[in-house]
Structure formats: C-alpha cells, structure tokens
C-alpha cells in the first residue's frame, strides 16, 4: 500500500468513529425524550438500585440530586443539543469518508470546542 491509501484508510476509520459517536449521542437524546412527562427521579432511583450502587454516597447521590431537578423543558433542551452534536459528527464523518479537504478543517474546529 502506498502512503495515500494508508491516509485514506485512516480518514475512513476516523469517519466511522465519528459517525458512531453521533449515532450513540442521538440514541441517548431519544432516551432523554422518552423521559418527558415521566418521573425522572423514580427512574434514576431504579437505575441506581439496579446497578447495586449506594444512593447515599458520591456519584450516585449527585446523579439522584440532578435527576430531582430535571424538567421537561430541560429534557427537550438536552435532546436538542444531542441532535446538534450528532449532526456535527455526521457532517464530519461524511466529509472525511469522501476525503474532502473541508472535512479536515471541520474536524479540527469541532474538536477545538473541547479545548478550554
């Protein structure tokens, strides 16, 4: 294989990875939407119990406290953010899969959002 073929394989691997991230976040967003008009605190308590975590300590307590303050509007907002994030990842994956130059810049810019 020549250098160009290796580069193409690498770009396609990153494209698959980015598409998978977008899909996973979109599924999580739909999961959030399934909690609209539901008792989120009850669901969180059931999840903590199912995982055999101590609800009075550390992260499970933080999770339960956060679930107690969730509103339907906040769930819709988080699902909207999940949709935007998934769209960004899919656009990036599309461009990288096709080897477009703009996609490399798009990937760098979308990755820069994680830099403080």
């Amino acid at each position: 294989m020549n250098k160009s073929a290796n580069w193409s394989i690498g770009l396609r691997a990153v494209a698959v990875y980015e598409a998978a991230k977008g899909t996973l976040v979109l599924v999580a967003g739909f999961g959030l939407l399934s909690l609209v008009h539901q008792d989120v605190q009850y669901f969180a308590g059931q999840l903590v119990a199912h995982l055999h975590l101590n609800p009075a300590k550390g992260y499970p307590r933080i999770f339960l406290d956060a679930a107690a303050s969730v509103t339907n509007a906040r769930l819709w907002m988080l699902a909207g953010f999940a949709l935007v994030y998934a769209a960004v990842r899919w656009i990036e994956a599309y461009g990288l899969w096709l080897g477009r130059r703009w996609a490399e810049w798009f990937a760098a810019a979308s990755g820069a959002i994680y830099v403080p």
Side-chain angles (χ1 to χ4, degrees), residues 35-79:
L35 295 174
V36 171
H37 302 302
Q38 303 292 323
D39 186 357
V40 177
Q41 190 173 12
Y42 174 77
F43 173 77
Q46 291 296 318
L47 181 61
V48 167
H50 180 74
L51 295 174
H52 304 289
L53 300 173
N54 183 350
K57 292 196 174 186
Y59 292 117
R61 179 80 260 148
I62 294 169
F63 177 66
L64 292 172
D65 290 343
S69 65
V70 169
T71 63
N72 288 336
R74 187 170 289 169
L75 290 172
W76 277 102
M77 180 190 68
L78 290 172

Side-chain angles (χ1 to χ4, degrees), residues 87-111:
V88 167
R89 294 295 155 217
W90 287 339
I91 291 167
E92 180 181 340
Y94 172 78
L96 290 174
W97 185 266
L98 297 177
R100 304 286 193 240
R101 176 64 74 195
W102 61 262
E104 295 176 30
W105 287 103
F106 189 80
S110 69

